[in-house]
Amino acid sequence: VAPNPSLASYTARPSRRNQDLERHSRRPFRGYPAGVIRLDSGDSDLESPQPIRDAMTEALDQGLTHYGPPMGDPDLREMIASTLSAGTARSVGAEQVLITHGACAALAAGLLATLDPGDRVLILDPCYPIFPDLVRLAGAEPVLVPHRPDLHIDVDAVTAAAVSARALIVCNPCSPTGIVYAREELEALALVVESADLLVFGDEVYDRIVFDNAGFTSLLELPQLEGRLLLAQSFSKTYAMAGWRIGYLVAPRSLFRACAGVHRTLNGPINTAVQRAAMAALSLPPHLLQDMLHEYQARRDLVLDALAGVPGTSCVKPEATFFAWVRHPAARSDAIVGEAIQHGVSVRSGSEFGLLGEGHLAISFSIDRHRLAIGLDRLVQVLSAANQVSAEALG
Ligand SMILES: Cc1ncc(COP(=O)(O)O)c(C=O)c1O
C-alpha cells in the first residue's frame, strides 16, 4: 500500500515545540575535519584524578551495577548537603539534593518542573546557550537582559525586565565571559528578585575554577533567595569528570518533589558506581584540585599573552572558567570561525551566546599547553588577517 503522503507529512515531523527550539537555538551541531585543534570545548583534557577512578573500579568490583535510588545515593546526597552547608553557612538538607546526569539535567529537571507555557525567564546576555534552549523546551520564553559593558550585572536592566517575568537564570562564574560577579552586585540582584518575586535558577559549575583569588559568592549564601533558588552543580569541571555525567540540583523543599518527578520521568536513577566515584571526588586531597587550577591558570595566561599584541583584538582577563571572551576585528563571528577552521583551529562564535555575542569569540583553554600554543598561533594569523581586511575596508 502506498504511504499516504499527507499523513506522512503530518505524523513524521518533529513536535511543534521542537521546531520552535530548532528555529531559535544558537547551538550548532558541530563536526570538524581531522587535524583541527579544538579551542572550543567545555571538556577538560585533564584526567579525572586517580582516587576517583579507583573508587569507580572498586564499586564495579563490589557489584554496584544495579538501579540505585531514584533521587540518588543517600550517602552522596548527605555528603553534598553537608559540604554545601559548611561552605555557605546556610543549612542545606540531603532531602534538597537531587543527583542528576550533570548540571544540564539538573537545570532541565528544575526548569521543566516549575515553568508554565508563556512564562518569561530572564537570562543575562551573553549566556550559556543551553539556558534559552531549555526554557523553550519548557514552553516558556527566554528574555535576554544585557550585561553592562564591563560584563557585570546590569541590575537596573534586570529590575525593569523583572516586572513581567517569572524567573531569572544566573550563571556565576559566568560562562562564556569568565567574569566572577561581586558579592555586592549579587546582593543587589537578590533584592530585585525578592521584590519582583522571581524564581532563580543558578548555575555554579565553575565555582572552583576561579583564578587570582577572585572572591566567589554562592547564590546559596543570599538569604533573599531562600525558598526560591534552584541551583545546578556538576562534577564535570572541578574534577575533570565531564564524561562521567554526574551533577546535582539543590531545590527548595517545596519544589523538590516536582523536580524529582521530572528527573524520574526523563532519566531514572543515575549510574550507581559513578555516584561512588563522586563521593571520592568530594574527598580528594585539596592539593590535587590546586594543581589542576594552576594548570588552567597557566593556560589562561598563555591565551592572554598570545592575544596581547594582536591589533583589533581584545580580551577580558578571565577571572574563572576555562574560556576567554575575545573581541575580534571581523565583520561576523561565524565567518571568522569558518576561517579559523580552514587554518586548523576551532573556536566558538560569540553569536552562539546571545544577542550581545556578535563581534566576539569564546576560546577554550581546556587542552594542554603545547597544543594550545599551536592553536593560538593559527588563530592569531586569522585574527591579524581579519584586522588587515577591516582596516582596508575602512580606507
Ligand atoms: C555554564 C555551564 N553549565 C553547565 C554545563 C554542563 O555541565 P554538565 O557537564 O554537568 O552537564 C556547562 C558545560 O560546558 C557549562 O559551561
Side-chain angles (χ1 to χ4, degrees):
V1 180
N4 176 340
S6 62
L7 184 66
S9 67
Y10 184 73
T11 55
R13 60 164 176 81
S15 68
R16 298 220 159 76
R17 186 162 294 175
N18 194 282
Q19 290 177 39
D20 189 43
L21 173 65
E22 180 104 22
R23 206 168 29 249
H24 289 97
S25 179
R26 294 171 176 271
R27 305 167 75 205
F29 286 101
R30 262 184 280 267
Y32 300 100
V36 165
I37 292 192
R38 301 273 312 271
L39 304 187
D40 59 40
S41 175
D43 184 3
S44 170
D45 73 330
L46 299 183
E47 294 285 0
S48 312
Q50 191 64 46
I52 298 175
R53 288 184 276 152
D54 289 345
M56 177 75 173
T57 315
E58 208 175 296
L60 291 174
D61 288 346
Q62 287 170 0
L64 290 178
T65 55
H66 300 278
Y67 285 134
M71 296 171 204
D73 184 314
D75 292 342
L76 177 59
R77 295 173 73 200
E78 192 62 59
M79 217 169 159
I80 290 168
S82 57
T83 307
L84 290 176
S85 301
T88 60
R90 316 255 344 142
S91 163
V92 177
E95 71 285 1
Q96 294 180 262
V97 177
L98 178 68
I99 310 297
T100 59
H101 299 75
C104 288
L107 286 163
L111 290 161
L112 291 167
T114 54
L115 295 181
D116 284 318
D119 280 347
R120 287 160 66 82
V121 180
L122 310 183
I123 304 175
L124 306 174
D125 181 13
C127 66
Y128 181 54
I130 207 168
F131 301 154
D133 284 6
L134 280 173
V135 167
R136 279 195 195 280
L137 209 51
E141 185 191 344
V143 177
L144 298 185
V145 180
H147 280 97
R148 296 188 328 213
D150 67 358
L151 300 174
H152 282 267
I153 301 171
D154 187 337
V155 178
D156 291 340
V158 176
T159 308
V163 176
S164 60
R166 167 102 195 283
L168 166 72
I169 302 181
V170 180
C171 181
N172 184 37
C174 180
S175 171
T177 64
I179 292 289
V180 180
Y181 300 135
R183 176 178 279 274
E184 302 76 58
E185 69 189 303
L186 291 172
E187 285 171 349
L189 188 70
L191 292 175
V192 176
V193 160
E194 190 181 35
S195 72
D197 193 18
L198 300 182
L199 263 183
V200 177
F201 297 90
D203 176 328
E204 297 182 351
V205 303
Y206 287 105
D207 67 339
R208 304 291 289 276
I209 304 183
V210 174
F211 310 120
D212 308 318
N213 299 317
F216 167 79
T217 302
S218 172
L219 294 172
L220 282 170
E221 295 175 47
L222 304 172
Q224 293 85 358
L225 303 194
E226 178 102 43
R228 59 173 81 247
L229 172 65
L230 296 101
L231 183 69
Q233 253 303 1
S234 178
F235 289 78
S236 295
K237 314 293 177 180
T238 306
Y239 305 103
M241 289 176 72
W244 302 63
R245 306 311 300 133
I246 181 160
Y248 58 89
L249 180 73
V250 182
R253 289 179 177 82
S254 61
L255 294 174
F256 186 83
R257 193 184 154 87
C259 299
V262 171
H263 167 71
R264 183 178 67 170
T265 308
L266 285 182
N267 300 306
I270 87 150
N271 186 316
T272 320
V274 165
Q275 297 186 71
R276 289 301 170 100
M279 281 187 246
L282 291 176
S283 318
L284 282 184
H287 73 87
L288 289 182
L289 297 184
Q290 273 308 108
D291 290 349
M292 289 161 92
L293 183 61
H294 287 147
E295 176 57 27
Y296 293 132
Q297 184 149 347
R299 294 175 182 186
R300 178 206 60 179
D301 293 344
L302 207 59
V303 174
L304 290 173
D305 287 349
L307 298 178
V310 184
T313 298
S314 59
C315 178
V316 179
K317 186 177 185 177
E319 298 170 321
T321 79
F322 37 69
F323 281 93
W325 186 241
V326 174
R327 183 162 258 299
H328 66 74
R332 289 182 53 110
S333 300
D334 51 5
I336 204 161
V337 167
E339 196 62 28
I341 289 180
Q342 299 298 316
H343 283 74
V345 57
S346 72
V347 292
R348 306 261 291 258
S349 167
S351 55
E352 277 183 46
F353 300 90
L355 297 171
L356 290 190
E358 187 49 80
H360 295 81
L361 300 173
I363 300 177
S364 163
F365 40 96
S366 65
I367 64 168
D368 66 85
R369 285 185 240 177
H370 175 68
R371 283 184 303 149
L372 179 58
I374 298 173
L376 287 168
D377 267 355
R378 294 177 182 175
L379 184 64
V380 165
Q381 283 180 34
V382 173
L383 289 167
S384 302
N387 187 60
Q388 185 94 23
V389 169
S390 90
E392 281 165 15
L394 287 173

